[in-house]
């Protein structure tokens, strides 16, 4: 049985990735920063699947991430796959010039340093070959036109894309692949009600990367199971 850790999995795409991987017989650890919300998500998944557990982890806190890793290390849990899904998009993220610097700082702290913290703390808990999957966005693309929305969020995803490539390069020798995924514009709290994609559709590519995709694929950016330009 393959084991996966998913950050920010109490709702949205992270929760759906958990559900789809449970269906594929993975042992799933859902994580999140809010104990009550996480427990509710766990209870919902437990109605259908038994191989699911929760671990409290706020990716914006090094302390919290290290504590979670220590708890799982003490239980000798090892992961085949780590999915960095947790992210934020500030409501007042509309202009890098006008808005407060805090918006950029906190967005980068969760969306880019968050995955960094998780990789640092959990790398020694990874099996080989292992897979790290970073939920990114085409909003962070350097080859597409600038969309004019949520600039701090887009900067954070550009950083995450670069982090993905650099980490992939460094981790080749450890036999751990690192890839980024754009799930498309998805109907979640973040994507909003008018987004064209269902949550099920948004979760498909990260689930494919976690399960069927070859370990040889690394340092790449995917959407709809197809490699796209950075
Ligand atoms: P949601 O806003 O619906 O869910 C985000 C999840 O991340 C929540 O569970 C939230 O927890 C969690 N989270 C936020 N901050 C932290 C933190 N510091 N520590 C732990 N968990 C945290 O987003 P989506 O499901 O839509 O997005 C999932 C991923 O897909 C994100 O990386 C996003 O950037 C990416 N994406 C989404 C798109 C879309 O259209 N929806 C488009 C492109 C990319 P809490 O409930 O506590 O807030």
């Amino acid at each position: 049985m393959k084991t996966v850790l998913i950050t920010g999995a109490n709702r949205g795409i992270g929760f759906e990735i958990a559900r789809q991987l449970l269906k594929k017989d993975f042992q799933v650890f859902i994580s999140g920063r809010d104990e009550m919300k996480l427990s509710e998500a766990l209870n919902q998944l437990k109605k259908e699947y038994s191989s699911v557990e929760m671990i409290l982890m706020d990716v914006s806190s090094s302390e919290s991430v290290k504590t979670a890793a220590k708890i799982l290390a003490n239980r000798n849990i090892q992961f085949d796959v780590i999915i960095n899904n947790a992210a934020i998009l500030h409501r007042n993220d509309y202009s890098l010039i006008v808005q407060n610097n805090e918006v950029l700082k906190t967005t980068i702290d969760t969306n880019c340093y968050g995955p960094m913290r998780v990789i640092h703390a959990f790398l020694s808990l990874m099996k080989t070959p292992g897979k790290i999957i970073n939920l990114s966005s085409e909003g962070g693309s350097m080859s597409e036109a600038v969309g004019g929305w949520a600039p701090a969020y887009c900067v954070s995803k550009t950083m995450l894309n670069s982090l993905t490539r650099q980490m992939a390069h460094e981790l080749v020798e450890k036999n751990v692949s690192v890839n980024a995924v754009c799930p498309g514009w998805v109907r979640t709290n973040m994507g909003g009600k008018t987004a064209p994609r269902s949550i099920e559709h948004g979760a498909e590519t990260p689930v494919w990367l976690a399960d069927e995709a070859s370990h040889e694929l690394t340092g790449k950016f995917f959407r709809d199971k197809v490699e796209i330009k950075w």
Side-chain angles (χ1 to χ4, degrees), residues 91-104:
R91 282 216 181 94
N92 52 348
D93 180 3
Y94 62 95
S95 161
L96 289 176
I97 293 164
V98 175
Q99 77 205 11
N100 187 321
N101 269 344
E102 276 306 302
V103 173
L104 182 61

Side-chain angles (χ1 to χ4, degrees), residues 13 84-96 99 102-112 134-141 148-161 181-186 188 190-191 221:
I13 296 170
N84 284 308
N85 167 80
I88 55 168
L89 193 165
H90 277 282
R91 282 216 181 94
N92 52 348
D93 180 3
Y94 62 95
S95 161
L96 289 176
Q99 77 205 11
E102 276 306 302
V103 173
L104 182 61
K105 269 202 219 163
T106 52
T107 303
I108 289 173
D109 192 48
T110 297
N111 298 3
C112 185
N134 296 327
L135 266 287
S136 184
S137 166
E138 271 183 307
S141 171
W149 53 275
Y153 173 84
C154 292
V155 168
S156 76
K157 294 297 189 182
T158 305
M159 287 181 73
L160 179 62
N161 285 354
V181 182
C182 173
W185 184 17
V186 181
T188 59
M190 186 186 284
F221 191 15

